[in-house]
Amino acid sequence: MRGQSTGDLAAIAKWVRLKVVDMAVKANSGHISTAFSQTEILVSLYFGGILRYDPMNPRWEGRDRFIQSKGQGGIGLYPVLARAGFFPLDVLEGFAQEGNMLGVHTDWHIPGIEVVTGSLGHGLPIATGMAQAALNDHKKHLIFVLLGDAELYEGSNWEAALMAAHKGYSNLICMVDRNGQGTIGYTDRIEGQNDGPRLNPLDRKFEAFGFETRVIDGHDFGQIFEALKDVRARPLAAGRPLMIIANTRKGKGCSLMEDERFWHYRVPAGADLESVRRDLRP
Amino acid sequence: MTSTPFIIGMRDAFFDALYEIARTDRNVIIISADNGAPSLDKFAQTLPNQYFTVGIAEQQMIGMAAGMAFEGKKVYTYAIAPFITTRVLEQQKLDVCSMNLPIVNLGIGAGYAYDIMGPSHHTVEDISIMRALPGMKIYCPADAICSRALVDLSYADPSPQYIRFDRAGIPNIYAGRPVDFTPGLVKTREGRDMYIVATGIMVHQALKVSDELKRDGLEVGVIDVCRIKPFPVEWLFEYLEEVPWVVTLEEHLLAGGLGGIVAEIFVDSGVTTPLLRIGQEDRFVFTYGGRSVIWKKYGLDVPSVVEKIQTWMSSRSGGVEFAKRAAVR
């Protein structure tokens, strides 16, 4: 961890969540709960001294590449990028509105965003290409990919996982936001017709592919940093990609939304909105 | 033509020339989805950091290509034509085209080249589908000479591209004569009464059809469209202005293919020259025995094409006699 204390980071996470709610309400566009499950991960990467980046020069050659493969989490990434200095904070106010560069899904026109995502299962294959290119060019930067767990239903991820393990891309750091939900169903809590096929045992699946796998609480800064502390030192030694499965909760931070499927794309109003804001008060 | 033997052809002409470039430019990358070629072996043997095979995983191939192209590589992807187009349409749309990355997709076996392999390997919808992707250029060489020229054109051009190759050793049309393929269209045979606009293997068929129609006293020219998108509109007009009849001939569905493109151009430009589109109807083909069997059954063999043209001309404005008079005027 560099610069910020865990308390500082927790405050930033709260600020990010509040921004997400404001943006969602203003644009009447949801994906709040999926933005909340990834918040601590993003805050750690950008403000905990993990990612190397230069907001004044977003395409700086030496930067780490970060791919928001779960593109629907864009609303949660934008406040992080703005606070990191990639673009002015007031750009957030116009999220998804006419004349604004920020759409619901991340795209490469936005400073700080590398590639277009939104359709799932694209980030990891692209990341393998970036990892190979870095090896070809003897470059030391890392490639980070944030995946949703329900995104892993897309078969392209497993094609990429085969290749990443086969080539031993130790410069590839994958993180799964393991919130246990897709749009309408749970991934591993089989309660009804809408619940998808089981992903578990997810860690052992990636282990079997040839990844080094670490399972953490994705809302615990201490565990996140512990899982990431050697990412820059391990590449040469590891000889295999890293998969961090971060167990999270959709809607984390708001009692109303936490782990509730109902809130995947819903925008709170009235008393619900009051409740959400109360939970996120600094 | 029976089921075609796998001999040196336009694909290997392409890879041989690309190898010479790749030897001096380490940013040239080839990714194959478990598809080999004799001419590819030397990439694997001598340029191991520039040649990758991902297994039978086309989504991975295109995604990986996008990641490498994003980092400044010039990436050539290689697979059987249906698997590099429709199988990975979304990767082509988002990863390649929406990010405008320098990726050249090499699809082998366009049309019914994989004749006896059935509908899984037939590629008769790729032109209409790939041309709907913004920014995607499409080439379709008719022989190895054109194919060789496309190496330099594709290398110099940072646009997303799709090159649809035929499968087997097709005879060279352009051997021994200087041809400029940069306009995207070649007047392969001069015409007076009619032009047949064709692409790929059908340029060869068109030349045979032209020979046959000469017996009716018709001077039928042939235009080879080797760059389907962006379509060489100005050149087409320059040539077609000279004739009263135009036929398009393609081993592809009529829906949105070469004939559809020419028809769109005619309508958009107010051209009223009679146009006959010959290609495949809205169907899958489960016919075996070879490409010639498919052509014969579905009206793409030379006698069927000749008959279609004659019937069409007869049904319009006095037919063949009219055409002769029109040409004399």
Side-chain angles (χ1 to χ4, degrees), chain B residues 49-78:
Chain B
N49 289 330
Q50 291 170 250
Y51 174 79
F52 302 95
T53 181
V54 294
I56 307 167
E58 291 83 6
Q59 295 185 89
Q60 167 62 13
M61 174 174 69
I62 303 302
M64 184 175 178
M68 296 195 81
F70 180 88
E71 299 292 350
K73 308 299 177 195
K74 173 82 181 185
V75 188
Y76 289 79
T77 61
Y78 173 52

Side-chain angles (χ1 to χ4, degrees), chain A residues 65 119 122 136-137 159, chain B residues 26 49 71 73 90 95:
Chain A
R65 276 51 165 174
S119 179
H122 287 248
N136 273 27
D137 296 339
E159 291 184 10
Chain B
R26 55 186 292 278
N49 289 330
E71 299 292 350
K73 308 299 177 195
E90 190 179 84
D95 302 355

Side-chain angles (χ1 to χ4, degrees), chain B residues 189 196 206-214 218 220 222:
Chain B
R189 180 176 290 175
I196 301 177
L207 289 168
K208 291 174 189 161
V209 169
S210 163
D211 291 341
E212 291 296 315
L213 288 171
K214 201 169 176 67
L218 294 173
V220 175
V222 174

Side-chain angles (χ1 to χ4, degrees), chain A residues 59 63 65 108-109 114-116 119-122 124-126 128-130 132-133 136-138 141 155-156 159-160 163 167 169, chain B residues 26-27 29 49-50 52-54 56-61 63-68 70-71 73 87 90-91 94-95 98-100:
Chain A
R59 288 286 162 103
R63 75 191 184 282
R65 276 51 165 174
W108 56 275
H109 296 89
E114 305 284 4
V115 299
V116 68
S119 179
L120 299 171
H122 287 248
L124 192 51
I126 292 174
T128 64
M130 292 178 173
Q132 182 63 54
N136 273 27
D137 296 339
H138 309 291
H141 63 260
S156 52
E159 291 184 10
M163 189 66 179
K167 301 297 282 186
Y169 294 141
Chain B
R26 55 186 292 278
N27 282 325
I29 304 290
N49 289 330
Q50 291 170 250
F52 302 95
T53 181
V54 294
I56 307 167
E58 291 83 6
Q59 295 185 89
Q60 167 62 13
M61 174 174 69
M64 184 175 178
M68 296 195 81
F70 180 88
E71 299 292 350
K73 308 299 177 195
R87 174 94 193 191
E90 190 179 84
Q91 278 76 14
L94 293 174
D95 302 355
S98 90
M99 295 198 284
N100 195 32

Side-chain angles (χ1 to χ4, degrees), chain A residues 46-109:
Chain A
Y46 281 88
F47 304 112
I50 304 290
L51 275 185
R52 287 182 180 164
Y53 59 88
D54 178 1
M56 295 298 104
N57 183 10
R59 288 286 162 103
W60 166 49
E61 216 174 281
R63 75 191 184 282
D64 293 328
R65 276 51 165 174
F66 173 74
I67 298 178
Q68 172 86 24
S69 191
K70 46 170 288 196
Q72 75 277 15
I75 192 171
L77 177 58
Y78 301 146
V80 171
L81 292 176
R83 191 171 173 126
F86 283 96
F87 47 84
L89 284 169
D90 59 15
V91 174
L92 300 173
E93 307 299 319
F95 167 69
Q97 292 163 59
E98 186 179 357
N100 192 278
M101 68 177 171
L102 305 176
V104 169
H105 296 104
T106 44
D107 86 67
W108 56 275
H109 296 89

